[in-house]
């Protein structure tokens, strides 16, 4: 089931456009286990890059996690022949940042896993790693708009 998805093909799965489209690629996914991994280069062109600090504030990890969740739910919808629906973030909890700044020039690897689902509301755990080290983690609850 896992297939690498590069940025161009990924753009059809996410509602984000322009600078707000942050993910570079999906490196792995599994809709049976509800997991996905994505990668994003943290360069000076990254939307949340802060020139004064020379990096990306760690809180940007949340948006990378949210876009990874969106990609996973969109992949699942496509597989099952359903339309890709918009989603809304209902809550963010237990966000933890191991460092205040993500270094420019590094690649962020985001892993998301769906923990629970009730109707069209889903809870995910997300982790952002750089060079194998956990830099941020947290829980995101989303609601898929179905009408």
């Amino acid at each position: 089931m896992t297939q690498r998805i590069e940025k161009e093909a990924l753009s059809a799965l996410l509602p984000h456009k322009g600078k707000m489209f942050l993910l570079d690629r999906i490196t792995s996914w599994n809709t049976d286990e509800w997991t996905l991994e994505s990668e994003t280069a943290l360069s000076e062109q990254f939307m949340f890059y802060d020139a004064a600090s020379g990096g990306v504030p760690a809180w940007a990890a949340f948006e990378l996690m949210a876009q990874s969740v969106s990609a996973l739910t969109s992949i699942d919808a496509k597989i099952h022949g359903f339309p890709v629906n918009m989603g809304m973030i209902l809550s963010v909890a237990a966000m933890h940042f191991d460092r205040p700044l993500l270094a420019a020039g590094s690649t962020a690897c985001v892993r998301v896993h769906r923990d629970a689902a009730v109707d069209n509301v889903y809870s995910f755990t997300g982790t952002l790693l750089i060079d194998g080290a956990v830099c941020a983690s947290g829980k995101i609850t989303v609601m898929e708009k179905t009408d």
Side-chain angles (χ1 to χ4, degrees):
M1 291 193 108
T2 298
Q3 184 178 6
R4 190 175 174 101
I5 303 172
E6 296 295 334
K7 192 166 191 124
E8 187 174 317
L10 186 55
S11 68
L13 297 173
L14 296 174
H16 307 80
K17 304 297 177 222
K19 285 186 170 187
M20 201 54 206
F21 180 65
L22 302 178
L23 302 183
D24 288 339
R25 73 193 53 80
I26 303 301
T27 55
S28 69
W29 53 268
N30 184 316
T31 56
D32 291 332
E33 295 179 9
W34 280 96
T35 60
L36 179 138
E37 289 190 19
S38 66
E39 287 183 347
T40 302
L42 302 176
S43 69
E44 292 180 9
Q45 287 71 45
F46 186 77
M47 175 157 185
F48 299 116
Y49 175 78
D50 179 47
S53 62
V56 175
W59 54 257
F62 159 74
E63 183 60 31
L64 292 171
M65 290 176 200
Q67 288 192 24
S68 295
V69 165
S70 180
L72 181 56
T73 58
S74 296
I75 289 168
D76 185 67
K78 290 265 190 191
I79 287 171
H80 291 97
F82 298 121
V84 173
N85 293 318
M86 294 290 289
M88 296 180 292
I89 297 167
L90 298 179
S91 70
V92 178
M95 285 301 292
H96 178 76
F97 304 103
D98 289 357
R99 58 186 79 173
L101 193 69
L102 306 174
S106 59
T107 298
C109 174
V110 172
R111 297 176 181 161
V112 294
H113 176 264
R114 189 175 81 178
D115 300 317
V118 177
D119 296 325
N120 63 332
V121 176
Y122 314 114
S123 176
F124 289 86
T125 298
T127 306
L128 183 142
L129 302 98
I130 294 178
D131 295 328
V134 174
C135 300
S137 60
K139 294 192 174 286
I140 300 172
T141 301
V142 298
M143 181 176 74
E144 187 175 29
K145 189 174 186 265
T146 55
D147 49 45

